[in-house]
Amino acid sequence: MRKRNIALIGVFAATAVASAFVYGAAQAVEKPKYKVEAEEGNFELRQYPQMVVAQVERSGNRQLAVRNAFSPLASYIFAKNRPGEKIAMTAPVTQEPSEKGWKVSFIMPAGRSLDDLPAPATDVELAEIDPRFVAVLRFSGRWTDQRFTDHSERLREWIKSKGLTPVGDMEFAYYNDPFTPAFLRRNEVMIEIKR
């Protein structure tokens, strides 16, 4: 019994160390510099600067679309299918509904522009996103459709309670890789708000 308890403690300690390492690595990745204009619990109103993204559209359900879009986007930033230098990985990866199904985007590092980024070799597209005012709800846990639906509804209710007007579709943001334990993940639902 004592050996079993020692083994369990060892497994727990190893898991904690690995989780801390993964969490620390995720914190080191560049994220967009936004200004928080209002905060209430896990709800925020943010002002985002202009950003450049690499994006791919994929058909199918949300989970299938993000899986199918990840490979060409990763190949673009890691220069696997194009000449030129690698581009630093950033967070979050975002996903929003589109005409084809879902649009998945990687945010390019700050200071990069459409003019100085390498041209994609596949159906990856580069796009500029204008500065925008956004309502956000932050949460942790797994990336299930039900969780995104529930948090989207909560965000819509909060927006309505504040007398704000949403513009466009809900967007989902993933800050961590799939190996990060669910309780350490940073996820967000967000939508642009009319000024």
Side-chain angles (χ1 to χ4, degrees), residues 50-125:
Q50 184 179 60
M51 295 184 291
V52 176
V53 298
Q55 59 190 24
V56 170
E57 287 190 68
R58 290 291 181 263
S59 59
N61 65 43
R62 184 188 61 77
Q63 292 178 351
L64 180 64
V66 78
R67 270 198 308 270
N68 290 338
F70 196 86
S71 181
L73 288 167
S75 293
Y76 172 71
I77 66 165
F78 294 126
K80 292 191 176 191
N81 59 7
R82 61 162 177 82
E85 84 281 6
K86 293 180 181 179
I87 299 167
M89 186 71 181
T90 63
V93 175
T94 64
Q95 185 181 33
E96 61 185 302
S98 72
E99 288 182 12
K100 292 182 181 178
W102 292 90
K103 185 186 298 177
V104 182
S105 302
F106 281 12
I107 298 167
M108 297 293 97
R112 299 304 299 259
S113 69
L114 293 176
D115 294 332
D116 70 11
L117 284 164
T122 62
D123 64 341
V124 172
E125 295 180 351

Side-chain angles (χ1 to χ4, degrees), residues 1-181:
M1 184 73 161
R2 185 170 178 220
K3 286 183 180 179
R4 183 173 161 229
N5 286 345
I6 290 171
L8 285 174
I9 290 169
V11 168
F12 177 77
T15 302
V17 168
S19 296
F21 176 77
V22 168
Y23 181 74
Q27 297 308 305
V29 172
E30 181 183 331
K31 299 167 190 70
K33 303 285 189 246
Y34 54 79
K35 179 183 175 188
V36 177
E37 297 202 359
E39 186 175 3
E40 186 177 295
N42 289 335
F43 297 96
E44 289 182 344
L45 292 176
R46 300 175 184 167
Q47 179 64 51
Y48 277 91
Q50 184 179 60
M51 295 184 291
V52 176
V53 298
Q55 59 190 24
V56 170
E57 287 190 68
R58 290 291 181 263
S59 59
N61 65 43
R62 184 188 61 77
Q63 292 178 351
L64 180 64
V66 78
R67 270 198 308 270
N68 290 338
F70 196 86
S71 181
L73 288 167
S75 293
Y76 172 71
I77 66 165
F78 294 126
K80 292 191 176 191
N81 59 7
R82 61 162 177 82
E85 84 281 6
K86 293 180 181 179
I87 299 167
M89 186 71 181
T90 63
V93 175
T94 64
Q95 185 181 33
E96 61 185 302
S98 72
E99 288 182 12
K100 292 182 181 178
W102 292 90
K103 185 186 298 177
V104 182
S105 302
F106 281 12
I107 298 167
M108 297 293 97
R112 299 304 299 259
S113 69
L114 293 176
D115 294 332
D116 70 11
L117 284 164
T122 62
D123 64 341
V124 172
E125 295 180 351
L126 298 176
E128 206 167 63
I129 299 176
D130 291 332
R132 58 190 183 142
F133 186 52
V134 179
V136 179
L137 173 56
R138 184 174 173 166
F139 63 99
S140 62
R142 296 184 313 123
W143 303 320
T144 65
D145 289 337
Q146 189 60 55
R147 287 181 63 75
F148 279 116
T149 299
D150 292 346
H151 285 87
S152 296
E153 187 55 38
R154 285 184 60 205
L155 181 57
R156 287 189 189 281
E157 289 171 4
W158 184 78
I159 289 167
K160 185 176 180 181
S161 76
K162 300 299 176 190
L164 302 169
T165 304
V167 179
D169 292 314
M170 196 67 66
E171 189 174 327
F172 307 136
Y174 314 77
Y175 283 81
N176 307 97
D177 61 52
F179 305 109
T180 301

